[in-house]
Amino acid sequence: MTNSDSGVARTLATAGPPPEMAIFQLPTGTYETPAALAFQGGSFRDRRQFAATAVLVRHPEGDVLIDAGFGTQAEEHIRMLPSFRRSPHRLGSTVSDQLDAAGYDRSRLSGVILTHSHWDHVSGLDSLDVPILVTDEELRYADRNRGDRVFRRVAAGHDFRGYSFDGPAHLGFPASHDLHGDGSVVIVPAPGHTTGSVVVLVTVRPDQRFAFIGDLAWQLDGIARGAQRPLLMRLLADSDSAQVRQDLARVTALAQHMQIVPAHDARAYEGIPLLVPDAERRATGAVPSAL
Ligand SMILES: [Zn+2]
């Protein structure tokens, strides 16, 4: 272990997640992208299914979602995009429907943390009546973003719970926000893909840590190979590609300590359980009863 690795390990050891903490993935559908457009070195013959998956983090102080996946009006949201951004897609069950199917008590849900405000991360807000946790900088970005009006549509009527990076430098990132004050959910700024993008670091147990990196990389290949998006897609998709490169390096340095989850790579969610519907849960007793 190098000095910086032991520094990371020391920092991680200060997180004190409560024993009731749990995490679930809520896949809401996929859309198709040639690998050549997804990461540098990818082939045009190889097509990737981009996941639109939300994550539920249960915590006694209040559960949060990370992103919201596709919503009930996803088809309409896709029609709102410029034509070059539309692609073949498959819509699954929305976050809202998955919560209901699991018999989830909505009063436990305190908000949705957005990794950023692009349509494929926020569409599901159309059927979730919960506060949106977002930075002022990302709200300014969403306001300026003429190519993607979906956030303004779905955010209307929601409460906003703004937060700032009021905490110290954390795991290589210059500042942080500790959501519950126990180190279990720490948000850090990664303002490259959009000017207010964030990474959400979640510690469920000491041996179960995750970095939800939003669109810092679209696929795990972006981490494993240190491969950025192809140049054209960087120009089209990123606000600041030098910042993306720096933040990717920070995340890559954490890869031996935690599971790195690019939002759109279905493989990256491996090991994170699904919310099991009521009937299934009664039959198997597979999920804690206090959903
Ligand atoms: Zn995205």
Side-chain angles (χ1 to χ4, degrees):
M1 219 182 230
T2 67
N3 278 343
S4 72
D5 285 341
S6 61
V8 169
R10 259 199 313 279
T11 302
L12 290 173
T14 62
E20 307 93 314
M21 213 172 148
I23 193 167
F24 299 91
Q25 58 163 313
L26 294 85
T28 67
T30 56
Y31 59 102
E32 192 175 289
T33 307
L37 300 183
F39 59 94
Q40 198 140 26
S43 151
F44 269 102
R45 287 188 306 274
D46 181 14
R47 302 192 79 78
R48 291 293 170 93
Q49 296 300 322
F50 270 28
T53 297
V55 168
L56 174 68
V57 182
R58 289 184 55 204
H59 190 288
E61 300 281 310
D63 299 352
V64 287
L65 288 160
I66 301 172
D67 289 342
F70 293 149
T72 52
Q73 290 155 37
E75 294 287 3
E76 193 184 331
H77 298 157
I78 291 167
R79 281 196 297 275
M80 291 169 71
L81 301 171
S83 54
F84 75 90
R85 289 234 166 100
R86 299 176 205 155
S87 54
H89 53 275
R90 188 190 61 74
L91 303 181
S93 178
T94 63
V95 167
S96 177
D97 287 347
Q98 290 181 58
L99 293 177
D100 289 346
Y104 178 81
D105 172 5
R106 299 263 184 135
S107 70
R108 299 178 59 107
L109 194 57
S110 62
V112 179
I113 302 172
L114 298 181
T115 60
H116 62 294
S117 61
H118 284 162
W119 80 276
D120 47 330
H121 301 256
V122 305
S123 166
L125 290 172
D126 67 2
S127 43
L128 291 168
D129 184 17
V130 290
I132 301 171
L133 280 74
V134 64
T135 61
D136 286 347
E137 181 50 46
E138 189 61 7
L139 288 178
R140 283 192 288 274
Y141 170 87
D143 216 39
R144 289 194 304 269
N145 183 7
R146 296 290 144 204
D148 185 343
R149 295 172 293 121
V150 175
F151 178 73
R152 272 166 284 165
R153 165 79 65 91
V154 295
H158 283 266
D159 286 338
F160 289 93
R161 260 179 67 195
Y163 62 90
S164 55
F165 295 107
D166 48 4
H170 188 70
L171 300 176
F173 291 87
S176 60
H177 177 71
D178 185 343
L179 190 66
H180 298 301
D182 59 8
S184 62
V185 180
V186 180
I187 311 172
V188 294
H193 179 57
T194 66
T195 57
S197 286
V198 301
V199 166
V200 186
L201 302 157
V202 177
T203 299
V204 181
R205 296 196 312 258
D207 62 344
Q208 214 183 5
R209 301 180 196 274
F210 303 89
F212 295 98
I213 67 168
D215 285 7
L216 199 50
W218 279 330
Q219 300 277 284
L220 279 173
D221 314 66
I223 306 297
R225 300 190 198 174
Q228 298 188 81
R229 271 184 270 282
L231 178 62
L232 175 68
M233 296 313 281
R234 291 207 297 274
L235 294 174
L236 285 173
D238 293 334
S239 293
D240 180 346
S241 59
Q243 183 70 47
V244 168
R245 197 161 51 240
Q246 183 176 37
D247 289 332
L248 257 183
R250 288 169 171 158
V251 161
T252 304
L254 300 175
Q256 61 171 302
H257 300 280
M258 60 187 73
Q259 186 167 334
I260 309 292
V261 187
H264 296 310
D265 195 329
R267 298 165 299 177
Y269 294 87
E270 211 164 284
I272 304 176
L274 297 162
L275 268 179
V276 180
D278 257 345
E280 174 92 357
R281 190 170 66 218
R282 276 196 301 273
T284 64
V287 169
S289 59
L291 268 177

